[in-house]
Amino acid sequence: MAALSLIRRLLGKKTDAPDASPIPAFFQQKAEQQGYTLSAGQTRAIAALARETQHLLAGQPTRSLYLYGPVGRGKSWLLDGFFQALPITEKQRVHFHDFFARLHRGMFTHREQDDALAVTLDELLTDCRVLCFDEFHVHDIGDAMLITRLFKALFQRGVLVLVTSNYAPQGLLPNPLYHERFKPVIDLIDARMEVLEVSSPQDFRSLPQAQSAQRFTSGQYVWPGTARQREALGLPAADCPPQPLAVGNRTLICRHRAGRSIAFTFSDLCEQLTAVMDYLLLCQDYDHWVIDGLPQLADCPIAVQQRFINLVDVLYDRDKHLILIGAQPLAIALGGQAIDLARTASRLGQLQQADPQPAPDPVS
């Protein structure tokens, strides 16, 4: 219980305070149940979450929080736990891709209004007092301009915002062509949010206990995708013909579908002009995914690498069962230049590895 005592000291509350936050005890119990030892960064973040929970429940002003650090250090674990333990119903947990897709749709629908953003937020965040915003990153200058307006609107509404990101605020939108134009958002984050680093020498996703009953972590990476492997795993053949697939108002290509299972080639989803909204719509209808033909990403254009990153983000966040088929070991295939590939590698590293089957002994 040393971590719990440290959190209470950081919080500055007596252990028997009648208004003590439920957050520290929740995380201590969760860590013990899962066999984790809280890192110093996690402990500081939990103390800050507990403090703001006290303020929220007491009807006092709150300060939003920005948690950043390398992949696999427990940021989403903290966000999900906080959301679960927070004893109110006026809360939402959203993912970057999903929220911005809905935000763009709503603003287009209300484009004739004087303030389309305000009208859209009224719809998306009705009575919301806490917004948990996972996997925050910015690579598009259009989104960057919208984020400035969004954060200002959220703070004006008094919403407690919890953000997790792989990037410190200064590392957002690193493209030097646009970074200076994004500085107002960075300044706003620094002024209105407590920025905390959540770091640890250990990538928690690599630990055995991270392999839970989730659909995603029960998936597989299969290489090199031989006919024998495919037959043993009940996977579609490598030469399945293309099939048209209606997705929203568009027509994409898939290779096989049955019930809530769907199969694509890497090219079908990442080398074509697909978008995050396509992946989100597909997730409404399909839980079991096969993606065939993962190439060496280093040989692919950055736009193709980014589509694959976005696709894995959506499948991971939606906890879909994934079988990914490549011609090489995963570590080799995931070389590339896109700056978010480290997150993708960490997530795909949770898949079970189906290595090549040894060749049978020759008949003498």
Side-chain angles (χ1 to χ4, degrees), residues 62-327:
T62 58
R63 184 173 177 81
S64 294
L65 301 170
Y66 184 105
L67 309 183
Y68 76 95
V71 296
R73 266 55 181 185
K75 301 180 299 296
S76 295
W77 184 82
L78 289 170
L79 180 141
D80 290 337
F82 171 68
F83 185 81
Q84 181 181 349
L86 189 64
I88 65 171
T89 58
E90 305 92 342
K91 57 186 177 181
Q92 287 192 37
R93 180 211 181 277
V94 298
H95 190 274
F96 175 86
H97 293 303
D98 190 13
F99 185 80
F100 268 81
R102 290 188 288 150
L103 192 64
H104 281 296
R105 278 204 313 272
M107 292 183 67
F108 179 79
T109 300
H110 301 297
R111 61 191 180 278
E112 303 297 333
Q113 300 289 333
D114 292 336
D115 191 342
L117 175 63
V119 176
T120 302
L121 289 178
D122 285 340
E123 291 180 349
L124 297 181
L125 302 177
T126 305
D127 298 325
C128 181
R129 300 168 63 194
V130 177
L131 180 63
C132 297
F133 204 3
D134 200 18
E135 297 291 359
F136 181 71
H137 56 271
V138 188
H139 303 309
D140 179 87
I141 188 60
D143 279 344
M145 297 298 98
L146 180 56
I147 288 168
T148 306
R149 298 176 57 201
L150 170 65
F151 274 31
K152 286 181 178 178
L154 292 173
F155 295 144
Q156 288 172 357
R157 290 166 179 250
V159 176
L160 171 59
V161 182
L162 172 60
V163 168
T164 70
S165 178
N166 293 339
Y167 307 96
Q170 287 292 338
L172 294 167
L173 195 62
N175 188 326
L177 294 175
Y178 305 128
H179 184 76
E180 196 60 30
R181 294 171 62 186
F182 191 61
K183 196 170 183 302
V185 181
I186 296 172
D187 293 341
L188 185 63
I189 290 172
D190 287 337
R192 299 296 299 269
M193 306 182 80
E194 182 174 356
V195 179
L196 295 168
E197 182 176 8
V198 179
S199 188
S200 169
Q202 177 71 60
D203 181 341
F204 291 109
R205 290 180 189 148
S206 68
L207 298 176
Q209 55 266 46
Q211 298 296 325
S212 65
Q214 290 181 307
R215 278 192 299 234
F216 191 89
T217 56
S218 66
Q220 288 184 297
Y221 179 68
V222 181
W223 72 280
T226 63
R228 178 180 295 183
Q229 285 178 315
R230 293 170 186 272
E231 183 178 359
L233 295 171
L235 301 178
D239 57 354
C240 285
Q243 302 178 20
L245 176 67
V247 180
N249 295 322
R250 305 183 61 202
T251 300
L252 303 184
I253 294 297
C254 72
R255 302 292 159 159
H256 178 78
R257 56 192 171 112
R260 294 194 63 84
S261 298
I262 188 86
F264 298 94
T265 66
F266 176 89
S267 177
D268 295 335
L269 290 177
C270 301
E271 294 180 349
Q272 312 305 315
L273 295 179
T274 57
V276 167
M277 180 53 65
D278 298 322
Y279 314 147
L280 291 169
L281 290 173
L282 285 165
C283 281
Q284 295 176 9
D285 296 325
Y286 302 102
D287 295 323
H288 304 279
W289 290 58
V290 175
I291 300 174
D292 200 351
L294 176 68
Q296 273 195 263
L297 291 179
D299 297 334
C300 300
I302 290 292
V304 172
Q305 296 180 37
Q306 190 61 55
R307 289 190 196 103
F308 182 65
I309 290 168
N310 294 343
L311 173 61
V312 173
D313 280 346
V314 169
L315 296 179
Y316 187 91
D317 190 61
R318 289 291 183 274
D319 193 22
K320 300 301 181 180
H321 180 266
L322 170 65
I323 294 182
L324 181 62
I325 306 172

